[in-house]
Amino acid sequence: MLAFSALSEAQAGPWSDHVIAPSTGGALAAADLDGDDDPDLVAGGLWYENLGSGASWLAHPNGLVSADRAVDLDGDGDVDVLGTGLGSGVLYPFSWGENATGNGASMVAHAIAELAAGSLALGSAAADADGDGDLDALVLDSAGQLAWHENTQGTASVWLAHALTALGSLQSLDVGDIDGDGDVDVLTGGASDFSWHENALGDGSSWVPHSIHRASSYHQRSVRATDVDGDGALDALFSTHEGSAAGLYRMGWLRNVGGGSSWVLNVVRAEASAPPSRVPTVIGADLDRDGDTDLVELLGQQTVWYEQAAGAWSRHVPPGLAWNVEAVLDVDLDGDRDLVGRSGDIHWRENLTTVSPYGSDVNPPRSLTLVAGTAAIGQTFTFGLDNPLGTQTSGTRTLLNIATAPDEEFPGGDLLPSWGMAGRGAAGELLLSYSHGNPVAHLAGPDWAGPGTLALIPVAVPADPRLIGLTVYLQGVLVDPSASLGVKFGLTNALRIELGP
């Protein structure tokens, strides 16, 4: 039996690099532009069609000079683009590219508003600023001015401009419900502070700025609205370079306490640095699929990711990865999260993780974990089952199910009433396939001793070379015959494991 390790199911990588196309300007966004249910990419004046599993890509014009968002602006059910259009002279209109055919074959540019002379859209966002059920457009121009444009008809045919803030020298924006009152607020990075702008009446007619964090001088700053600590409130994930000459680079997050009324600074990394041409993008995403938010950034000439566990951060350095990550998504639809970014070319880095939790978070994360063993033949795995919600009694029975195919809704599953851990009658998510021809093994484990304790079940893998490359899917169930705390059957999250040599 292998010695136990500390909850080692939280994995990402190894990684395999794939080049998509030569790099273009502008931000990078991901969305399904052609309606074939896999993610495509938008960058500069092009969109890149994913021809299947990220193996090959085909470039198409997206109608704009530089698009940085991909959303359904006209409400017709397909994905359009938002960014800077082609103007005349020194005028560059804030524009959207209509997906006229619904499959990206014809992208038609429409101007939303003229920007200041010589100015480009530094950043944009789409959100329902006035609460009328359609998407409006926000733009931060390269002069540092921020405005929102009302989609008055809901079809992106008529736009009405509104100033959002008198603050100038802004460099980044994001949107989200910062104060938790059900409407859209705006988060910005400015010349000397980070701020959020409260949509005071919920209809975009009044915006109240609130300073989050100030510093003496910011050379560059970037900010994103992200729930870093998993408490349901949007925090401010940031990267900054402070000082116009040699100064301090900092990356971290500002914790939102009390609906935007108070913010707590948390620095993940700080080091002396010369001012960059732009601060690296920092993205919050559950890269290892363990139910919390991890961070990805560019450190010098090396991309790194920071694994969050119990409020602490562990740094991981994927070998050979030296480009700015701009998106984290499942490019090849294999159930894990890949990286997309640029360094000379547009790349995507395939996540070849051999152990990956999956599910739609209906079942509690970490209710099934791999606590010992590696994904290889001739090894012995040890899995731990838990009901972290405590809705079953000590002595509850445990069962581990192993299948060669997931549910057909992978990486999600089918909801079963009264099979959830959340409480009496709650649905659980069945994540394995029990269809005819798919063998499922059932292994009984020891009784569960209560929340925070793991019922450990060992699984020996034969040293058979024919098993190399086999992918198996595992899900546990806890059975409390008494159901005295409300739950009789409790389904865990699932694990996908690919066996290696």
Side-chain angles (χ1 to χ4, degrees):
M1 184 73 63
L2 295 177
F4 293 155
S5 62
L7 295 177
S8 58
E9 97 292 348
Q11 296 184 11
W15 306 87
S16 177
D17 187 48
H18 305 270
V19 175
I20 297 172
S23 182
T24 59
L28 190 151
D32 182 14
L33 268 80
D34 54 3
D36 64 352
D37 296 325
D38 58 28
D40 308 301
L41 297 174
V42 175
L46 300 171
W47 73 273
Y48 299 91
E49 181 183 356
N50 184 349
L51 297 178
S53 301
S56 58
W57 302 78
L58 184 62
H60 306 272
N62 65 36
L64 303 185
V65 172
S66 181
D68 61 2
R69 299 282 176 173
V71 291
D72 183 10
L73 282 170
D74 52 5
D76 63 354
D78 56 42
V79 177
D80 311 300
V81 296
L82 182 66
T84 301
L86 179 63
S88 58
V90 294
L91 297 178
Y92 295 90
F94 180 45
S95 302
W96 70 285
E98 178 188 0
N99 192 344
T101 55
N103 63 359
S106 176
M107 304 291 292
V108 180
H110 304 275
I112 296 175
E114 293 289 345
L115 301 177
S119 184
L120 300 173
L122 184 63
S124 68
D128 186 9
D130 53 6
D132 64 352
D134 57 45
L135 289 178
D136 307 300
L138 296 86
V139 61
L140 172 63
D141 65 31
S142 52
Q145 303 300 311
L146 177 62
W148 75 277
H149 299 268
E150 181 182 353
N151 186 353
T152 61
Q153 307 301 310
T155 58
S157 57
V158 180
W159 299 89
L160 181 61
H162 304 269
L164 196 147
T165 178
L167 296 176
S169 302
L170 300 177
Q171 288 204 352
S172 60
L173 86 152
D174 204 358
V175 295
D177 185 6
I178 301 296
D179 52 6
D181 64 352
D183 56 41
V184 173
D185 308 302
V186 178
L187 189 64
T188 60
S192 60
D193 70 355
F194 292 108
S195 300
W196 73 278
H197 307 265
E198 179 185 359
N199 191 348
L201 302 178
D203 60 2
S205 62
S206 174
W207 300 87
V208 180
H210 303 272
S211 178
I212 296 174
H213 181 70
R214 299 187 65 85
S216 58
S217 61
Y218 283 165
H219 176 70
Q220 294 280 343
R221 78 287 306 161
S222 174
V223 67
R224 291 193 179 208
T226 306
D227 182 10
V228 177
D229 56 358
D231 65 353
L234 289 175
D235 308 303
L237 177 60
F238 71 86
S239 59
T240 69
H241 185 274
E242 301 171 22
S244 58
L248 179 67
Y249 173 79
R250 295 201 296 178
M251 182 275 289
W253 59 289
L254 291 148
R255 185 184 176 207
N256 181 356
V257 181
S261 62
S262 178
W263 300 80
V264 179
L265 175 65
N266 297 270
V267 177
V268 177
R269 181 169 73 86
E271 65 179 32
S273 170
S277 59
R278 54 177 288 202
V279 294
T281 303
V282 179
I283 297 175
D286 186 8
L287 194 61
D288 53 12
R289 300 208 53 161
D290 64 349
D292 55 32
T293 299
D294 308 304
L295 307 180
V296 186
E297 69 158 354
L298 184 70
L299 174 59
Q301 295 301 312
Q302 178 66 56
T303 301
V304 299
W305 71 279
Y306 297 84
E307 177 189 349
Q308 182 177 183
W313 301 94
S314 299
R315 195 178 85 175
H316 301 270
V317 182
L321 183 58
W323 34 265
N324 197 34
V325 175
E326 298 184 54
V328 178
L329 66 149
D330 188 3
V331 173
D332 49 4
L333 301 180
D334 65 350
D336 55 37
R337 288 172 169 84
D338 310 301
L339 307 176
V340 180
R342 281 181 283 200
S343 177
D345 298 313
I346 300 174
H347 299 248
W348 75 280
R349 179 57 74 97
E350 182 180 359
N351 187 350
L352 300 176
T353 181
T354 54
V355 180
S356 176
Y358 70 94
S360 303
D361 293 334
V362 174
N363 309 332
R366 302 181 71 83
S367 48
L368 175 64
T369 57
L370 172 63
V371 296
T374 56
I377 61 172
Q379 300 289 324
T380 297
F381 295 104
T382 300
F383 298 94
L385 282 70
D386 185 21
N387 179 341
L389 304 181
T391 53
Q392 293 170 295
T393 60
S394 176
T396 288
R397 300 167 186 169
T398 61
L399 187 70
L400 181 63
N401 305 302
I402 307 173
T404 55
D407 186 89
E408 62 181 10
E409 299 297 326
F410 177 84
D414 292 318
L415 295 181
L416 297 182
S418 299
W419 280 74
M421 291 184 181
R424 189 181 305 276
E429 187 176 28
L430 183 65
L431 296 163
L432 305 184
S433 172
Y434 288 83
S435 62
H436 179 70
N438 176 40
V440 179
H442 309 281
L443 301 178
D447 291 347
W448 174 68
T453 64
L454 299 179
L456 301 176
I457 302 179
V459 178
V461 181
D464 185 344
R466 293 174 298 177
L467 298 178
I468 295 174
L470 175 68
T471 300
V472 294
Y473 303 84
L474 303 94
Q475 184 175 27
V477 60
L478 281 71
V479 182
D480 182 357
S482 72
S484 60
L485 297 181
V487 173
K488 182 175 183 179
F489 301 106
L491 288 168
T492 71
N493 64 275
L495 297 177
R496 171 186 176 271
I497 298 180
E498 182 177 349
L499 299 176

